[in-house]
Amino acid sequence: MVFSSLVFLFLFLPIVLVFYYLSGSKFKNYILLIASLFFYAWGEPKYIFLMIGSILVNYIFGIKVSSDKKNERKVWLIISIILNIGILIIFKYTDFFLININSLFKINLVLPKIALPLGISFFTFQTMSYVIDVYRHDGKVQRNVFDLALYVSLFPQLVAGPIVRYQTVDEQIDRRTHSMDKFAVGVNRFVVGLAKKVIFSNQLGLIADGVFSASIVDLSTLEAWMGIICYTLQIYFDFSGYSDMAIGLGKMFGFDFLENFDYPYISQSVSEFWRRWHISLGSWFRDYVYIPLGGNRVSLLKQYRNLFIVWSLTGIWHGANWTFMAWGLYYGVLIAIEKAFLGKLLSKSPRIFRHMYLVLIVMIGWVFFRAENIIQATEFIKVLSGINQNPLCNSAFLNYANDSGGIVILAIILSTPIISKIKKLIKLKNQKIVESNIIYFMHSTLIMSLMFIIVIMLINSTYNPFLYFRF
């Protein structure tokens, strides 16, 4: 079940909200837990037991690492990390390892073809953060297994994040506030995220898929650029839209999740981009990998080693393919270069140059992220650069530009904070107007209109993937 489905919007969510708000405070968590388990089982019925097993095991680990015996605590922490990473390796990377072993040693080991459980990368990182936070005394041990199960399985953020850290919501599980204002903010945020997904990401995805599925020899340079621009926008509106929906749903049930995106495409360096993109993942690797390795407190050589480790892990976390490893190392090398000398040069350059540099770097990176293999990625980049003998323009590009040029331009505009800046400017100069009934009416009309458009588009479309579900 996905948020942008009619079943979720008109059946699952309304039923859960009714039961949740009709129940007493003692039962709200149980209602959410049952709903979350049902939500996960809807798409992955057999793997619900894997998630429940992970919750139970990490519940025990949490209790063990909270003991007063320092050596014993450390042993249990190590065991918990090995087990959690082991589960991730088995279900996500077994076939990848065997394929490469077969290729390297010219043998034919049978692939078990283990299906990838939905959201395993996200809920595994959450269970690991829980145990580590308890070990560090950054969070209290959860003695109620049902409350821990709710933290891990909470359906708004279960399958595609943001990665909610235990220390962020440990108190909210027991005590959180509900109000009409908070609920309204949640609904608005959810609808905006849904619009990002259905109106923009889905439409841009059709173009990106068409370009990347075409034969390299048939592409023109402009068609390739159209494809990567659309994918660059698609993945932003897809993932930030999902995060908006998760944050909005969280508020509807009284939770406050941290932001996961902050207009990353306005960045002026790779380092800044990764402070704005998938913030929860970047902060997770920073706090649980980079800093424990020494972070910036070690020699320069070790700092580069730490960057190499973190970005290798970031790449492979996204998927069992060499393209993801190449994508991670690509960013690791770029951040290291910026750290060495490029950052200082960029700071002295005009703002527009820094921005163009960042956007170009990110789009090239997305080629590796989207391509099926390294060969396709390198050949696609050659087409982009004009190195191949591909024509500059073809009929496919003209058709894409004619049919979808408007939505691409609008998506580019909306990927910047221009709308939020206009709203702030109006609010500063016309506070009385902003607080008037007319503005509230116009805002409500806009939200309802967006929802109407979304429903119509969902009814008439069968293309509705979430890109990050496969991670």
Side-chain angles (χ1 to χ4, degrees):
M1 192 187 308
V2 296
F3 295 163
S4 56
S5 69
L6 297 176
V7 172
F8 178 86
L9 294 173
F10 295 106
L11 190 61
F12 178 84
L13 183 58
I15 290 174
V16 175
L17 284 170
V18 168
F19 276 95
Y20 181 82
Y21 279 100
L22 288 179
S23 64
S25 57
K26 293 183 179 179
F27 300 101
K28 279 182 164 48
N29 281 357
Y30 295 109
I31 296 293
L32 267 183
L33 176 59
I34 293 169
S36 297
L37 294 176
F38 179 83
F39 178 88
Y40 190 82
W42 179 277
E44 299 281 352
K46 62 181 179 180
Y47 287 123
I48 189 70
F49 301 106
L50 173 66
M51 187 175 69
I52 292 173
S54 176
I55 292 168
L56 293 175
V57 169
N58 283 282
Y59 170 74
I60 296 171
F61 286 145
I63 293 174
K64 293 294 186 181
V65 300
S66 67
S67 71
D68 296 328
K69 300 177 181 179
K70 187 174 181 180
N71 291 335
E72 183 178 313
R73 290 173 61 236
K74 193 169 185 178
V75 169
W76 282 110
L77 175 67
I78 293 171
I79 294 173
S80 73
I81 292 173
I82 292 173
L83 180 65
N84 280 295
I85 293 177
I87 291 173
L88 199 57
I89 289 173
I90 290 171
F91 284 92
K92 195 168 183 176
Y93 304 106
T94 299
D95 283 3
F96 174 70
F97 288 144
L98 292 179
I99 288 171
N100 284 279
I101 289 172
N102 285 344
S103 176
L104 183 62
F105 296 103
K106 308 299 180 184
I107 56 179
N108 191 29
L109 297 175
V110 178
L111 304 181
K113 296 183 179 180
I114 301 173
L116 181 64
L118 197 63
I120 188 171
S121 297
F122 290 91
F123 74 71
T124 300
F125 269 32
Q126 290 198 181
T127 54
M128 288 175 65
S129 76
Y130 162 68
V131 177
I132 295 170
D133 285 350
V134 172
Y135 175 81
R136 293 175 172 177
H137 302 295
D138 289 334
K140 298 177 182 178
V141 63
Q142 183 55 260
R143 300 282 177 178
N144 186 325
V145 67
F146 296 106
D147 284 351
L148 180 64
L150 176 62
Y151 157 68
V152 176
S153 67
L154 192 59
F155 77 86
Q157 49 76 51
L158 172 61
V159 293
I163 301 172
V164 178
R165 305 266 282 276
Y166 178 66
Q167 56 183 282
T168 303
V169 297
D170 60 342
E171 293 184 1
Q172 297 181 47
I173 291 174
D174 292 327
R175 294 179 301 277
R176 55 187 180 274
T177 58
H178 302 83
S179 68
M180 287 299 296
D181 287 343
K182 190 173 186 177
F183 188 89
V185 170
V187 171
N188 289 338
R189 188 69 179 269
F190 178 82
V191 174
V192 168
L194 193 59
K196 283 183 176 182
K197 167 61 186 164
V198 177
I199 298 176
F200 289 98
S201 177
N202 285 0
Q203 309 313 309
L204 295 163
L206 290 171
I207 302 172
D209 286 356
V211 172
F212 275 90
S213 62
S215 173
I216 291 292
V217 297
D218 295 330
L219 288 176
S220 70
T221 299
L222 290 178
E223 183 187 1
W225 276 107
M226 174 66 84
I228 195 55
I229 289 171
C230 285
Y231 184 73
T232 297
L233 294 166
Q234 178 200 6
I235 196 168
Y236 168 71
F237 282 102
D238 184 276
F239 195 17
S240 70
Y242 188 96
S243 294
D244 286 340
M245 285 186 272
I247 291 169
L249 286 169
K251 288 188 180 299
M252 291 161 70
F253 292 101
F255 288 92
D256 292 306
F257 301 149
L258 297 179
E259 295 294 333
N260 206 26
F261 286 84
D262 184 19
Y263 298 105
Y265 291 149
I266 68 169
S267 303
Q268 297 175 55
S269 69
V270 174
S271 300
E272 182 187 358
F273 175 80
W274 279 103
R275 290 193 296 270
R276 292 174 175 271
W277 178 279
H278 203 345
I279 299 169
S280 61
L281 179 66
S283 63
W284 198 99
F285 275 113
R286 179 197 66 209
D287 294 343
Y288 298 118
V289 180
Y290 186 70
I291 292 177
L293 286 172
N296 294 330
R297 297 174 285 104
V298 293
S299 67
L300 192 59
L301 185 61
K302 289 185 177 179
Q303 288 181 41
Y304 291 133
R305 177 207 63 186
N306 296 345
L307 285 172
F308 175 82
I309 292 172
V310 165
W311 284 101
S312 296
L313 294 174
T314 301
I316 204 66
W317 179 87
H318 280 87
N321 194 317
W322 287 112
T323 55
F324 294 115
M325 177 65 80
W327 176 78
L329 292 176
Y330 170 80
Y331 276 110
V333 169
L334 286 169
I335 290 176
I337 293 173
E338 284 189 359
K339 189 179 184 68
F341 66 90
L342 187 57
K344 293 180 180 179
L345 293 177
L346 287 172
S347 65
K348 299 176 182 178
S349 304
R351 184 183 181 89
I352 185 65
F353 177 82
R354 298 197 301 267
H355 182 66
M356 291 173 61
Y357 150 80
L358 182 279
V359 171
L360 179 62
I361 286 293
V362 169
M363 285 196 293
I364 296 300
W366 287 137
V367 173
F368 289 97
F369 202 85
R370 176 60 179 80
E372 297 296 326
N373 51 60
I374 297 292
I375 294 175
Q376 184 192 17
T378 54
E379 291 299 317
F380 195 92
I381 292 172
K382 288 179 181 179
V383 177
L384 290 175
S385 62
I387 294 175
N388 285 4
Q389 299 302 312
N390 298 63
L392 175 64
C393 184
N394 61 2
S395 59
F397 167 74
L398 295 175
N399 289 334
Y400 286 136
N402 182 60
D403 295 340
S404 304
I407 197 168
V408 173
I409 293 171
L410 184 58
I412 292 172
I413 294 171
L414 293 178
S415 67
T416 71
I418 186 170
I419 300 298
S420 62
K421 287 184 176 181
I422 292 172
K423 288 169 64 177
K424 286 181 181 178
L425 185 63
I426 294 173
K427 189 172 182 179
L428 284 173
K429 293 188 174 182
N430 304 280
Q431 185 66 33
K432 291 183 179 179
I433 296 177
V434 170
E435 294 177 352
S436 69
N437 291 331
I438 295 175
I439 294 297
Y440 285 124
F441 174 77
M442 291 175 62
H443 179 79
S444 300
T445 302
L446 175 62
I447 293 297
M448 288 188 291
S449 299
L450 281 176
M451 197 64 198
F452 178 77
I453 294 170
I454 289 164
V455 171
I456 295 300
M457 294 182 75
L458 288 176
I459 290 172
N460 294 321
S461 176
T462 57
Y463 183 86
N464 193 31
F466 261 117
L467 298 183
Y468 264 71
F469 271 21
R470 62 191 177 116
F471 304 134

